[in-house]
Amino acid sequence: MRLLRSTDLALRVLMRLAATGDDPAAAPAPGDASARDVAATPTPTTRDVAAAMDVPYTHTAKVVAELQHMGLLEARRGRGGGLALTQRGRTASVGAIVRAFEGDGDVVDCEGTVPCPLRSACRLRGALRRAQEAFFASLDPITLADLVADPTGPLLLGISRPARLHRPDAAEPGSASSMP
Protein backbone atom coordinates (compact mmCIF):
# COMPACT_ATOMS: atom_id res chain seq x y z
CA MET A 1 0.00 0.00 0.00
CA ARG A 2 1.31 3.41 -0.93
CA LEU A 3 0.47 6.38 1.30
CA LEU A 4 -0.88 9.59 -0.13
CA ARG A 5 1.63 12.42 -0.21
CA SER A 6 -0.48 14.33 2.32
CA THR A 7 -0.43 11.39 4.74
CA ASP A 8 3.35 11.13 4.50
CA LEU A 9 3.73 14.86 5.04
CA ALA A 10 1.31 14.87 7.99
CA LEU A 11 3.32 12.17 9.73
CA ARG A 12 6.60 13.97 9.06
CA VAL A 13 5.23 17.31 10.34
CA LEU A 14 3.96 15.64 13.52
CA MET A 15 7.23 13.75 13.98
CA ARG A 16 9.25 16.94 13.57
CA LEU A 17 7.13 18.73 16.17
CA ALA A 18 7.28 15.74 18.53
CA ALA A 19 11.06 15.67 18.19
CA THR A 20 11.35 19.30 19.30
CA GLY A 21 9.97 18.26 22.67
CA ASP A 22 7.56 21.22 22.70
CA ASP A 23 5.71 20.11 25.83
CA PRO A 24 4.11 23.02 27.73
CA ALA A 25 3.88 20.84 30.85
CA ALA A 26 7.67 20.45 30.79
CA ALA A 27 8.34 24.16 30.34
CA PRO A 28 10.25 25.86 33.17
CA ALA A 29 8.46 28.18 35.54
CA PRO A 30 8.56 31.91 34.73
CA GLY A 31 11.62 33.51 36.28
CA ASP A 32 13.59 30.28 36.09
CA ALA A 33 16.99 30.87 34.45
CA SER A 34 16.30 28.18 31.85
CA ALA A 35 13.02 29.92 30.92
CA ARG A 36 15.04 32.55 29.02
CA ASP A 37 16.60 29.80 26.89
CA VAL A 38 13.18 28.34 26.08
CA ALA A 39 11.81 31.78 25.18
CA ALA A 40 14.81 32.38 22.91
CA THR A 41 14.10 29.17 20.99
CA PRO A 42 11.57 30.02 18.27
CA THR A 43 8.60 27.74 17.76
CA PRO A 44 8.73 26.36 14.22
CA THR A 45 6.30 27.87 11.74
CA THR A 46 4.61 26.15 8.84
CA ARG A 47 7.11 27.85 6.52
CA ASP A 48 10.04 26.63 8.66
CA VAL A 49 8.80 23.04 8.60
CA ALA A 50 8.12 23.15 4.84
CA ALA A 51 11.60 24.51 4.13
CA ALA A 52 13.31 21.99 6.42
CA MET A 53 11.53 19.11 4.69
CA ASP A 54 11.93 20.64 1.21
CA VAL A 55 8.23 20.47 0.38
CA PRO A 56 6.00 23.21 -1.02
CA TYR A 57 4.69 25.64 1.58
CA THR A 58 1.15 25.53 0.18
CA HIS A 59 0.96 21.75 0.50
CA THR A 60 2.37 21.92 4.04
CA ALA A 61 -0.13 24.64 4.97
CA LYS A 62 -3.06 22.46 3.82
CA VAL A 63 -1.77 19.50 5.83
CA VAL A 64 -1.18 21.69 8.90
CA ALA A 65 -4.74 23.04 8.61
CA GLU A 66 -6.11 19.50 8.56
CA LEU A 67 -3.95 18.46 11.53
CA GLN A 68 -5.19 21.53 13.39
CA HIS A 69 -8.80 20.65 12.52
CA MET A 70 -8.17 17.14 13.88
CA GLY A 71 -6.94 18.69 17.14
CA LEU A 72 -3.44 17.24 16.81
CA LEU A 73 -1.55 20.51 16.63
CA GLU A 74 -2.03 24.15 17.42
CA ALA A 75 -1.03 26.87 14.99
CA ARG A 76 -0.54 30.29 16.59
CA ARG A 77 -0.20 33.44 14.51
CA GLY A 78 1.83 36.53 15.14
CA ARG A 79 4.86 37.22 17.25
CA GLY A 80 5.77 34.17 19.30
CA GLY A 81 3.48 32.06 17.10
CA GLY A 82 4.20 28.82 15.37
CA LEU A 83 3.25 25.17 15.51
CA ALA A 84 2.95 23.04 18.62
CA LEU A 85 1.57 19.59 19.30
CA THR A 86 -1.52 19.38 21.48
CA GLN A 87 -1.84 16.78 24.20
CA ARG A 88 -4.07 14.81 21.84
CA GLY A 89 -1.36 15.04 19.18
CA ARG A 90 1.30 13.69 21.55
CA THR A 91 -0.75 10.59 22.34
CA ALA A 92 -2.40 10.02 18.95
CA SER A 93 -2.17 6.62 17.33
CA VAL A 94 -0.28 6.57 14.05
CA GLY A 95 -2.95 4.20 12.74
CA ALA A 96 -5.70 6.72 13.51
CA ILE A 97 -3.75 9.51 11.79
CA VAL A 98 -3.14 7.40 8.69
CA ARG A 99 -6.81 6.31 8.57
CA ALA A 100 -7.94 9.93 8.81
CA PHE A 101 -5.75 11.04 5.90
CA GLU A 102 -6.13 7.94 3.74
CA GLY A 103 -9.86 7.52 4.26
CA ASP A 104 -11.62 4.21 4.55
CA GLY A 105 -12.23 3.66 0.86
CA ASP A 106 -11.36 0.46 -0.95
CA VAL A 107 -7.82 -0.08 -2.20
CA VAL A 108 -9.21 -0.81 -5.67
CA ASP A 109 -12.10 0.91 -7.42
CA CYS A 110 -14.34 -1.86 -8.66
CA GLU A 111 -17.26 0.47 -9.34
CA GLY A 112 -15.40 3.11 -11.38
CA THR A 113 -16.57 4.71 -14.62
CA VAL A 114 -16.02 1.34 -16.26
CA PRO A 115 -17.08 -1.18 -13.57
CA CYS A 116 -15.02 -4.33 -13.23
CA PRO A 117 -16.81 -7.31 -14.80
CA LEU A 118 -15.69 -9.51 -11.88
CA ARG A 119 -17.13 -7.28 -9.14
CA SER A 120 -20.07 -9.54 -8.28
CA ALA A 121 -17.93 -12.64 -7.64
CA CYS A 122 -14.46 -11.25 -6.98
CA ARG A 123 -12.51 -12.29 -3.91
CA LEU A 124 -9.67 -9.84 -4.48
CA ARG A 125 -11.61 -6.83 -3.16
CA GLY A 126 -12.27 -8.53 0.19
CA ALA A 127 -8.69 -9.77 0.48
CA LEU A 128 -7.33 -6.28 -0.19
CA ARG A 129 -9.77 -4.80 2.35
CA ARG A 130 -8.54 -7.24 5.02
CA ALA A 131 -4.93 -6.43 4.14
CA GLN A 132 -5.67 -2.70 4.41
CA GLU A 133 -7.26 -3.17 7.86
CA ALA A 134 -4.30 -5.29 8.97
CA PHE A 135 -1.99 -2.48 7.83
CA PHE A 136 -3.93 0.11 9.84
CA ALA A 137 -4.18 -2.23 12.85
CA SER A 138 -0.40 -2.71 12.85
CA LEU A 139 -0.01 1.08 13.15
CA ASP A 140 -2.63 1.51 15.90
CA PRO A 141 -0.36 0.82 18.90
CA ILE A 142 2.39 3.14 17.60
CA THR A 143 2.49 6.75 18.85
CA LEU A 144 4.53 9.76 17.77
CA ALA A 145 6.77 9.25 20.80
CA ASP A 146 7.60 5.78 19.46
CA LEU A 147 8.48 7.25 16.05
CA VAL A 148 10.82 9.93 17.39
CA ALA A 149 12.67 7.81 19.94
CA ASP A 150 16.45 7.78 19.49
CA PRO A 151 18.05 7.83 16.97
CA THR A 152 15.20 9.26 14.84
CA GLY A 153 14.33 12.36 16.92
CA PRO A 154 17.80 13.93 16.94
CA LEU A 155 18.17 13.11 13.24
CA LEU A 156 14.86 14.86 12.47
CA LEU A 157 16.07 17.99 14.23
CA GLY A 158 19.32 17.95 12.27
CA ILE A 159 17.60 17.87 8.90
CA SER A 160 17.68 21.06 6.94
CA ARG A 161 16.83 21.92 3.39
CA PRO A 162 19.07 19.87 1.11
CA ALA A 163 21.51 21.79 -1.03
CA ARG A 164 20.51 21.95 -4.66
CA LEU A 165 22.80 20.01 -6.91
CA HIS A 166 24.91 22.22 -9.11
CA ARG A 167 25.26 20.92 -12.62
CA PRO A 168 28.63 22.02 -14.02
CA ASP A 169 27.31 21.72 -17.57
CA ALA A 170 24.50 24.22 -16.89
CA ALA A 171 25.60 27.80 -17.22
CA GLU A 172 24.56 30.27 -14.53
CA PRO A 173 22.20 32.99 -15.82
CA GLY A 174 24.20 36.07 -16.65
CA SER A 175 27.55 34.25 -16.68
CA ALA A 176 30.00 34.63 -19.55
CA SER A 177 29.28 31.13 -20.86
CA SER A 178 25.57 31.85 -21.13
CA MET A 179 26.09 35.03 -23.14
CA PRO A 180 25.90 34.78 -26.96
Side-chain angles (χ1 to χ4, degrees), residues 3-11 14 62-68 70 72 94-104 136:
L3 295 179
L4 297 172
R5 188 171 179 211
S6 57
T7 305
D8 174 47
L9 183 55
L11 292 171
L14 291 170
K62 289 176 188 175
V63 168
V64 164
E66 181 61 26
L67 291 170
Q68 186 176 12
M70 293 169 62
L72 300 177
V94 172
I97 296 165
V98 172
R99 269 189 197 89
F101 274 86
E102 293 291 316
D104 59 359
F136 291 144

Side-chain angles (χ1 to χ4, degrees), residues 118-165:
L118 301 175
R119 71 184 178 281
S120 62
C122 182
R123 294 183 179 171
L124 178 61
R125 185 179 192 176
L128 290 174
R129 181 57 146 164
R130 288 188 298 278
Q132 180 183 31
E133 277 308 312
F135 172 72
F136 291 144
S138 70
L139 296 174
D140 283 338
I142 301 170
T143 65
L144 289 174
D146 297 327
L147 295 180
V148 299
D150 285 342
T152 307
L155 180 64
L156 273 168
L157 295 176
I159 294 174
S160 61
R161 174 176 251 175
R164 299 285 179 197
L165 295 176

